[in-house]
């Protein structure tokens, strides 16, 4: 192992939204010496890597921002309701420049290991460039959806065409013109990519394993008067999103779907459907996530929409989800997704009715005993979510324990921000925090500020280590599971439930409530106010 030559107060891994703000906060607010390592060539994290056709944010842009710099909120102008991936990268470059962040970020450098030394109480962090540095604090800002899930398809090496994963698309893009293309997967990514690829490709075959309930995004220009009003009300927006359930300005209907009359329900559903975005998912009847009967009413509405949009009834039936409740998988937002299946050059191959993918061949792929000839395969097969990026860091805590071993049966964390046996390690939007169930920047800012306050407290009180107790951690794990077990979420084979990857132990990865991100924020603040209850501070 290379010997450590430089020492930092903190090392931050990742320069996406989380790492950028963590650096800003520790360096400029606390005056600490910080090094950020980032595998990409520039800032952006998730938004640097996910450059597939149609990649854009599913949260409304006006809340998909940093709020720590009020002038940026006034200055920055988004061009549409949901910004595209290149536009988000431009935004993050603007933030990096304005706050002079890049001078402390080492790009094109991947962290390949970290070990806590129990005698000196510092972390040694190793990189793929052969470098090793030490730091008092180690902060994993590695993103929740950054570890690619590329299934081991039999025969992939035989395929003579080209293939890509959506989360590692070539920077120069891919020309699909005159090509026979396949998209494997129909999650939120594929739902964005499919309509775009279908416009260019000679022929597109979509391989669907599980149909999803999609709702319209309704992207477009935002009325300048609305933009103006929002800019004037940012203090209110910040307060409301921070106190909200999902970090969004969406509020559920305080009523059971079963109590509403059919006419009233239809009106409420229409309102949300017409508004587009996450309204149908996050601002629906309050029992939608709890009662199978209430959920069925919402699902039925979407089924009717699919049948109305897709012209071929047999294709429509294949696109209608079976076997999971509405909203229990991540809501994909649709812009011409269902309409795309009306095009002559688009074919849907559904694992349930047409047969599952068996293998890749020289000429394409075989599914349900039939070979499909292809030039390009696009795998939109998602991520080893939340735990994947952290387990890959090769972190060693007290007594030689390894994080991937500690989490062999699923995540164990305290508040989703700390792990027993791993002192001075913090995980921004880590497993068992609200994270992916919220508008990410809201949760990122909350975690960054909490960690920053904690380190400030440590320095001011002359303490050097903070570590979750096993007892507090296991109570938190039980609490996370108790809450989600009250909902329908656990019944789905979703990536939230770790069920998208063979062999990944079934466990709910984020933290749901009971009062959403607002309540969680209060819990974290109370822990700090009680002298970091549940932690050993020494
Ligand atoms: P998702 O939501 O995990 O979707 C991946 C898709 O790929 C989904 O339809 C999967 O089917 C399918 N898949 C995964 N493995 C296979 C195999 N082995 N064979 C066939 N099909 C497969 O990932 P996304 O990238 O769309 O979205 C991830 C998040 O990024 C999204 O939720 C947003 O938060 C941003 P399945 O449903 O598992 O049966």
């Amino acid at each position: 192992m290379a010997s450590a030559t430089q020492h930092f107060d903190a090392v931050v891994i990742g320069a996406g939204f989380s790492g950028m703000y963590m650096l800003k906060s520790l360096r400029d607010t606390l005056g600490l010496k910080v090094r950020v390592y980032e595998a990409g060539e520039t800032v952006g994290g998730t938004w640097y890597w996910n450059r597939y056709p149609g990649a854009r944010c599913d949260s409304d842009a006006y809340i998909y921002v940093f709020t720590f710099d009020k002038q940026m909120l006034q200055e920055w102008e988004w061009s549409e309701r949901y910004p595209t991936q290149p536009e988000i990268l431009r935004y993050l470059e603007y933030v990096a420049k304005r706050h002079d962040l890049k001078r402390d970020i080492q790009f094109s450098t991947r962290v390949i290991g970290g070990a806590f030394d129990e005698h000196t109480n510092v972390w040694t962090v190793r990189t793929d460039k052969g470098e090793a540095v030490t730091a008092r604090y180690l902060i994993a800002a590695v993103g929740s959806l950054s570890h690619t899930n590329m299934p081991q398809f039999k025969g992939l090496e035989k395929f003579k065409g080209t293939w890509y994963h959506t989360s590692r698309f070539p920077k120069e893009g891919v020309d699909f013109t005159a090509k026979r293309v396949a998209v494997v997967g129909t999650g939120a990514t594929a739902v964005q990519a499919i309509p775009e690829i279908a416009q260019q490709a000679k022929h597109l075959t979509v391989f669907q394993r599980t149909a999803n309930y999609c709702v319209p995004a309704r992207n477009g220009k935002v009325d300048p008067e609305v933009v103006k009003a929002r800019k004037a009300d940012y203090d209110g927006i910040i307060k409301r999103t921070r106190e909200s359930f999902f970090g969004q300005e969406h509020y559920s209907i305080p009523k059971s779907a079963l109590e509403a009359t059919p006419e009233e329900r239809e009106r409420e559903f229409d309102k949300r459907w017409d508004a587009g975005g996450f309204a149908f998912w996050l601002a629906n009847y309050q029992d939608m996530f709890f009662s199978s009967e209430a959920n069925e009413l919402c699902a039925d509405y979407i089924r009717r929409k699919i049948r109305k949009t897709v012209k071929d009834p047999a294709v429509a039936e294949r696109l209608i989800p079976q076997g999971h409740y509405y909203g229990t998988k991540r809501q994909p937002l649709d812009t011409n997704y269902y309409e795309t299946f009306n095009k002559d050059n688009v074919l849907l191959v559904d694992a349930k009715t047409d047969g599952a993918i068996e293998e890749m061949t020289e000429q394409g792929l075989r599914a349900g005993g039939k070979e499909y000839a292809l030039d390009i395969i696009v795998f939109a097969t998602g991520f080893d979510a939340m735990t994947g990026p952290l387990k890959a860091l090769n972190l060693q805590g007290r007594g030689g324990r390894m994080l991937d071993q500690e989490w062999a049966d699923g995540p164990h964390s305290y508040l989703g921000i700390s792990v027993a046996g791993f002192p001075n390690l913090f995980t921004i939007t880590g497993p068992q925090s609200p994270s992916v169930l919220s508008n990410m920047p809201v949760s990122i800012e909350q975690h960054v500020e909490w960690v920053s306050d904690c380190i400030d407290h440590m320095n001011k009180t002359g303490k050097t280590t903070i570590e979750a107790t096993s007892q507090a951690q296991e109570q938190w794990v039980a609490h996370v599971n108790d809450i989600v077990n009250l909902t329908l979420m656990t019944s789905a084979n979703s990536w939230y439930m770790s069920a998208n990857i063979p062999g990944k132990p079934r466990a709910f990865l984020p933290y749901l409530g009971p009062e959403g991100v607002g309540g969680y924020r209060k819990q974290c603040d109370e822990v700090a106010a009680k002298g970091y209850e549940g932690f050993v501070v020494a």
Side-chain angles (χ1 to χ4, degrees):
M1 187 173 110
S3 64
T5 50
Q6 268 188 292
H7 179 76
F8 296 90
D9 296 313
V11 161
V12 177
I13 312 170
F17 267 88
S18 309
M20 290 171 71
Y21 185 33
M22 198 72 245
L23 167 61
K24 167 77 192 159
S25 195
L26 295 179
R27 187 192 68 184
D28 296 350
T29 311
L30 302 191
L32 302 185
K33 189 178 170 197
V34 184
R35 159 73 55 85
V36 181
Y37 289 112
E38 165 57 55
E41 290 166 331
T42 186
V43 293
T46 294
W47 293 107
Y48 169 81
W49 296 105
N50 281 271
R51 44 180 110 86
Y52 58 86
R56 68 168 79 233
C57 185
D58 283 341
S59 284
D60 282 68
Y62 79 98
I63 52 167
Y64 204 78
V65 283
F66 287 117
T67 65
F68 66 84
D69 176 340
K70 297 286 187 295
Q71 206 180 322
M72 288 199 308
L73 290 171
Q74 296 306 318
E75 227 173 76
W76 183 260
E77 301 285 343
W78 294 109
S79 65
E80 291 174 291
R81 178 173 176 184
Y82 308 99
T84 60
Q85 177 263 344
E87 191 170 11
I88 299 174
L89 269 194
R90 282 200 294 281
Y91 169 71
L92 292 173
E93 290 285 354
Y94 150 83
V95 176
K97 188 158 181 224
R98 188 178 154 84
H99 291 280
D100 194 16
L101 297 178
K102 287 194 180 178
R103 70 181 151 95
D104 291 304
I105 307 175
Q106 188 169 314
F107 293 106
S108 305
T109 306
R110 187 174 287 282
V111 168
I112 55 166
F116 182 75
D117 183 325
E118 294 183 64
H119 303 293
T120 56
N121 289 334
V122 296
W123 281 91
T124 299
V125 179
R126 289 180 294 119
T127 76
D128 64 353
K129 296 288 179 290
E131 193 182 4
V133 298
T134 55
R136 173 74 64 202
Y137 296 99
L138 179 60
I139 297 144
V142 289
S144 309
L145 297 158
S146 52
H147 195 91
T148 298
N149 171 38
M150 183 57 207
Q152 298 299 304
F153 288 108
K154 191 175 147 204
L156 184 58
E157 70 292 345
K158 286 190 221 148
F159 179 53
K160 292 224 165 108
T162 37
W163 65 267
Y164 308 94
H165 192 282
T166 45
S167 72
R168 292 292 180 271
F169 236 62
K171 254 190 258 155
E172 59 284 8
V174 174
D175 186 4
F176 295 103
T177 313
K179 304 286 190 206
R180 296 160 305 173
V181 183
V183 171
V184 176
T186 51
T189 296
V191 168
Q192 290 186 335
I194 285 165
E196 299 290 321
I197 296 173
Q199 281 185 44
Q200 229 190 50
K202 180 170 147 208
H203 191 269
L204 172 65
T205 311
V206 175
F207 291 88
Q208 170 181 274
R209 186 165 76 175
T210 312
N212 254 314
Y213 294 96
C214 305
V215 303
R218 308 220 187 276
N219 188 33
K221 299 275 172 223
V222 179
D223 180 344
E225 287 306 311
V226 172
V227 173
K228 210 168 127 194
R230 284 174 176 162
K231 283 190 186 267
D233 182 33
Y234 255 119
D235 286 345
I237 290 168
I238 292 168
K239 186 171 186 304
R240 290 193 296 277
T241 51
R242 286 183 176 186
E243 289 173 358
S244 70
F245 203 102
F246 294 111
Q248 314 243 354
E249 293 201 89
H250 289 309
Y251 307 96
S252 57
I253 306 169
K255 185 174 184 176
S256 164
L258 306 166
E259 283 165 11
T261 64
E263 296 73 26
E264 181 187 347
R265 254 191 328 256
E266 202 70 4
R267 260 199 320 276
E268 294 292 356
F269 288 159
D270 282 349
K271 227 193 277 174
R272 283 153 185 78
W273 189 264
D274 294 345
F278 288 145
F280 198 90
W281 188 35
L282 304 180
N284 219 309
Y285 286 97
Q286 65 177 17
D287 52 350
M288 190 194 85
F289 286 109
F290 298 93
S291 148
S292 53
E293 290 88 353
N295 191 283
E296 171 56 21
L297 295 167
C298 305
D300 173 66
Y301 180 90
I302 302 181
R303 285 197 287 265
R304 283 186 275 134
K305 292 289 187 188
I306 297 172
R307 289 191 178 112
K308 211 164 141 190
T309 310
V310 180
K311 292 194 181 124
D312 180 337
V315 176
E317 289 315 305
R318 287 175 168 83
L319 287 167
I320 287 175
Q322 312 279 341
H324 68 273
Y325 292 110
Y326 170 62
T328 55
K329 299 187 84 165
R330 163 60 152 75
Q331 173 70 73
L333 294 191
D334 138 38
T335 302
N336 296 325
Y337 177 66
Y338 291 120
E339 287 82 351
T340 297
F341 293 95
N342 294 333
K343 291 172 89 113
D344 293 335
N345 67 331
V346 177
L347 174 70
L348 177 69
V349 177
D350 173 43
K352 290 192 178 71
T353 43
D354 306 307
I357 296 174
E358 288 147 10
E359 61 176 339
M360 307 295 137
T361 63
E362 276 188 21
Q363 303 304 324
L365 74 76
R366 194 186 324 276
K370 186 172 169 199
E371 189 172 13
Y372 296 84
L374 301 164
D375 302 307
I376 300 175
I377 305 177
V378 176
F379 294 100
T381 46
F383 301 91
D384 183 352
M386 301 196 76
T387 48
L390 292 165
K391 286 168 88 167
L393 289 175
N394 197 18
L395 297 182
Q396 184 183 318
R398 261 191 215 290
R401 68 182 79 184
M402 300 301 297
L403 188 66
D404 59 342
Q405 293 299 315
E406 296 291 299
W407 286 4
D409 65 345
H412 295 260
S413 87
Y414 180 40
L415 299 169
I417 206 166
S418 166
V419 185
F422 293 79
N424 294 359
L425 168 72
F426 297 105
T427 54
I428 304 301
T429 64
Q432 299 172 333
S433 77
S435 177
V436 293
L437 291 180
S438 73
N439 176 38
M440 288 304 284
V442 173
S443 285
I444 287 168
E445 286 195 332
Q446 186 247 332
H447 264 190
V448 166
E449 287 163 15
W450 192 92
V451 169
S452 194
D453 288 349
C454 173
I455 292 177
D456 191 31
H457 168 84
M458 299 286 294
N459 290 345
K460 284 185 175 148
T461 52
K463 306 288 186 192
T464 50
T465 57
I466 177 161
E467 179 181 358
T469 66
S470 300
Q471 194 196 7
Q473 174 167 289
E474 290 322 304
Q475 275 172 6
W476 184 256
V477 173
H479 170 65
V480 169
N481 292 325
D482 287 349
I483 299 290
V484 77
N485 284 337
L486 301 172
T487 73
L488 301 172
M489 299 294 283
T490 51
S491 63
N493 288 327
S494 62
W495 60 257
Y496 294 143
M497 285 302 301
S498 318
N500 59 326
I501 295 178
K504 190 168 176 177
R506 196 174 178 92
F508 187 65
L509 295 173
Y511 171 55
L512 179 63
E515 290 168 49
V517 302
Y520 171 77
R521 175 184 294 269
K522 275 193 229 150
Q523 286 167 281
C524 291
D525 289 348
E526 274 165 27
V527 164
K530 289 181 184 163
Y532 294 93
E533 190 179 44
F535 289 93
V536 174
V537 180

